[in-house]
């Protein structure tokens, strides 16, 4: 009995194989097309759309929504230390004041 013919085996790693190079090229093409479409949508088309699209761009990417502000405030306050009764009362009073101002 002879040994196992190892010349017919598949490679254990895909690095350097044709399929790996094809996969990498496909991934770069998808990333490039995504970046190009983003650039076209938010730069060239915004000039044709006028001020409304520019305002939407600023609103979408630069301004924080109220939910994001609240979430960051919650994370900042909740990660530092556990809340005690006094700090919870202070937060509730601040919330009442904020609601009455609106």
């Amino acid at each position: 009995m002879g040994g196992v013919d190892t010349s017919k085996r598949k490679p254990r790693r895909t690095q350097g194989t044709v399929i790996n190079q094809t996969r990498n090229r496909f991934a770069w093409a998808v990333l490039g097309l995504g970046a190009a479409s983003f650039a076209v949508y938010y730069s060239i088309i915004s000039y044709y759309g006028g001020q409304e699209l520019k305002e939407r761009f600023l609103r979408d990417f630069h301004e924080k929504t109220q939910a994001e502000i609240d979430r960051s405030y919650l994370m900042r306050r909740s990660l530092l230390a556990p809340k005690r009764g006094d700090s919870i009362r202070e937060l509730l009073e601040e919330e009442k004041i904020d609601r009455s101002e609106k």
Side-chain angles (χ1 to χ4, degrees):
M1 294 238 154
V4 177
D5 185 16
T6 58
S7 65
K8 306 291 185 206
R9 288 188 179 173
K10 294 179 182 178
R12 299 226 182 250
R13 286 183 277 161
T14 60
Q15 184 178 3
T17 60
V18 175
I19 191 70
N20 187 37
Q21 293 170 354
T22 306
R23 181 192 66 192
N24 288 342
R25 287 182 186 144
F26 178 75
W28 282 111
V30 168
L31 289 173
L33 286 173
S37 64
F38 176 80
V40 166
Y41 185 72
Y42 278 106
S43 64
I44 295 172
I45 296 177
S46 69
Y47 289 115
Y48 294 116
Q51 192 63 28
E52 180 184 333
L53 283 177
K54 290 179 185 177
E55 289 174 2
R56 189 177 78 189
F57 174 77
L58 292 174
R59 184 179 64 242
D60 289 348
F61 293 104
H62 294 293
E63 295 178 5
K64 288 185 175 182
T65 62
Q66 187 62 33
E68 290 173 345
I69 294 170
D70 292 342
R71 190 179 315 121
S72 66
Y73 179 74
L74 245 173
M75 290 300 290
R76 193 173 345 119
R77 297 288 285 193
S78 65
L79 292 177
L80 294 177
K83 304 232 183 327
R84 297 184 179 161
D86 296 333
S87 61
I88 292 174
R89 282 188 213 97
E90 289 175 7
L91 288 173
L92 289 173
E93 289 174 10
E94 289 175 6
E95 186 176 330
K96 286 179 186 177
I97 293 170
D98 289 341
R99 286 186 182 172
S100 65
E101 289 176 355
K102 292 182 181 178

